[in-house]
Amino acid sequence: MLTAISAVDNPTVSFWRGDAALFSQPILFSMNLDNGINIRVYVSPQLLSIYHSKMLIPLLILGFGIGFIALVIIRFFEYRKMSLHALVEQGIIQREFIPYYQPIVDVSTNSLYGCEMLARWKRHGQGLISPMEFIPYVEKSGQILPITEQLIEKAIGDVSKLNWGDTQQVISVNIVPDQLEHVEVLASSLAILDESPLLPSQLAFEVTERKRFTNLSMASQVIETLRTQGIDVKLDDAGTGYGGFSYIQQLDIRSIKIDKMFVETIGTADLKLSLLDSIIAFGREAQMEMIAEGVETEEQSRYLAKHGVTLQQGFYFGRPMPFRDFAYYCKSMVSRKSLTKRFNIPPTLLYNQVDEC
């Protein structure tokens, strides 16, 4: 074996170590360093032949082993994906997807603005499956469409039992950009609304900014069609996704939801706090409806209210809950509002950090 070191611009003058006779052999390895030094390695054909004969079989075994493991892993994920798809299909048929409700409170009046409907999966004989385990997949597979349709049907049926038709309270439903790019996708949901006591203005769709629109022109037309029927479209996760505030202009969005990542900077030195203030200032200037998500403390609630964001949602007011608990929550709101008026108690003092029914 021979190792030679020389200047890149003068390879004939070099320092070497090993058998000089190997200079006549082909270079096995060569590398130029940043400082202009070249390193070359020469190996005798006999030594290469020995290593080749001894290492060929182990290398082949190693290669086959790695290939087999990779194949098993690929097949496992393919099987898991196919299994999840089949389980979701079964869940749709058996109507296992259920709505949970998280209250949205107007702290300026201590009244219930409405709620956000959140998807949960309760398989027969099992507990709830975390949304993070199925929502990303069903959004990609397209199965989110029939799931959303079932959830809207159940949710409208639920809130109709609360006599929401006699109020102005709003139920917000999460949708993906794909659903705003096809009028027919929302047609069945609108048909369900027509058969309920709710007014169109009591249903709102929240479209996340974290997913990219592929046809903004069509989405704009669908949003305008919904608006003419009284249905609002809110931009969820505002300031965190692809479109920035350009979506607000291109889609004529008039309501935004301020993401938790900005709200949680309140009371800290995080630079995103200035972004929160900018979003709020933008919303005020544009005269937009603003709802803050992820409110978990009284400090956050007071800060937002002081800056004009009185519609708030988060654990400070209530966790996502099944309909039975939400119905109880709605009744308790009436008592809270009565206490506020009777004893002149600031609305935010009526909430615990985590309010569960």
Side-chain angles (χ1 to χ4, degrees), residues 41-311:
V41 176
Y42 303 83
V43 177
S44 67
Q46 294 83 1
L47 183 59
L48 285 177
S49 177
I50 293 172
Y51 274 108
H52 182 270
S53 61
K54 288 186 176 181
M55 297 300 295
L56 179 61
I57 294 178
L59 287 174
L60 285 175
I61 294 174
L62 179 63
F64 279 120
I66 294 174
F68 177 77
I69 293 172
L71 181 62
V72 169
I73 293 173
I74 292 172
R75 289 289 178 87
F76 170 78
F77 282 105
E78 287 181 347
Y79 176 77
R80 185 178 182 275
K81 184 177 179 180
M82 291 175 60
S83 298
L84 179 58
H85 190 92
L87 287 174
V88 170
E89 283 295 316
Q90 184 182 54
I92 293 172
I93 294 172
Q94 298 183 357
R95 303 178 70 84
E96 294 176 344
F97 295 93
I98 58 175
Y100 265 46
Y101 305 92
Q102 186 169 31
I104 303 172
V105 174
D106 185 342
V107 297
S108 66
T109 60
N110 191 39
S111 59
L112 188 67
Y113 166 88
C115 66
E116 178 180 355
M117 184 202 73
L118 300 164
R120 296 292 186 267
W121 185 7
K122 191 176 190 313
R123 294 192 63 201
H124 291 303
Q126 299 185 27
L128 288 176
I129 298 176
S130 168
M132 295 308 299
E133 293 187 28
F134 68 91
I135 290 293
Y137 175 77
V138 298
E139 286 182 350
K140 292 180 180 179
S141 69
Q143 293 168 304
I144 188 65
L145 305 182
I147 290 174
T148 301
E149 182 178 331
Q150 286 187 10
L151 291 173
I152 290 176
E153 180 181 353
K154 292 179 180 179
I156 290 178
D158 282 345
V159 298
S160 296
K161 300 173 185 176
L162 301 175
N163 297 321
W164 274 27
D166 299 329
T167 72
Q168 295 182 333
Q169 290 163 342
V170 176
I171 178 169
S172 291
V173 178
N174 291 291
I175 58 175
V176 293
D178 287 350
Q179 290 169 283
L180 278 182
E181 295 171 347
H182 300 87
V183 179
E184 62 276 9
V185 172
L186 296 175
S188 58
S189 301
L190 299 179
I192 296 170
L193 185 63
D194 288 339
E195 298 175 359
S196 78
L198 298 185
L199 297 173
S201 59
Q202 293 182 276
L203 177 65
F205 291 114
E206 294 184 14
V207 58
T208 180
E209 193 191 9
R210 297 179 191 270
K211 302 291 183 180
R212 190 187 299 274
F213 281 92
T214 58
N215 191 337
L216 278 172
S217 177
M218 177 58 70
S220 179
Q221 294 179 38
V222 172
I223 290 174
E224 185 57 33
T225 299
L226 292 171
R227 186 174 289 122
T228 57
Q229 298 184 49
I231 298 174
D232 188 27
V233 175
K234 306 177 188 296
L235 183 64
D236 200 7
D237 312 313
T240 64
Y242 289 103
F245 289 96
S246 64
Y247 279 168
I248 294 174
Q249 296 178 327
Q250 295 180 64
L251 300 175
D252 193 21
I253 298 290
R254 302 172 188 176
S255 178
I256 61 173
K257 299 196 74 175
I258 301 172
D259 191 80
K260 176 182 178 180
M261 68 177 289
F262 299 113
V263 173
E264 64 187 8
T265 64
I266 295 172
T268 73
D270 196 311
L271 291 176
K272 290 195 292 295
L273 181 59
S274 62
L275 293 177
L276 170 63
D277 293 338
S278 298
I279 293 172
I280 294 174
F282 173 86
R284 281 203 310 263
E285 184 68 22
Q287 297 183 332
M288 303 184 72
E289 176 191 70
M290 293 182 286
I291 302 174
E293 294 184 294
V295 181
E296 297 187 353
T297 67
E298 181 182 343
E299 180 184 13
Q300 293 171 350
S301 179
R302 287 184 177 276
Y303 182 94
L304 292 163
K306 180 181 177 181
H307 288 76
V309 184
T310 59
L311 300 181

Side-chain angles (χ1 to χ4, degrees), residues 26-37:
I27 299 174
L28 177 67
F29 171 79
S30 177
M31 180 176 65
N32 293 329
L33 304 180
D34 293 338
N35 58 4
I37 299 297

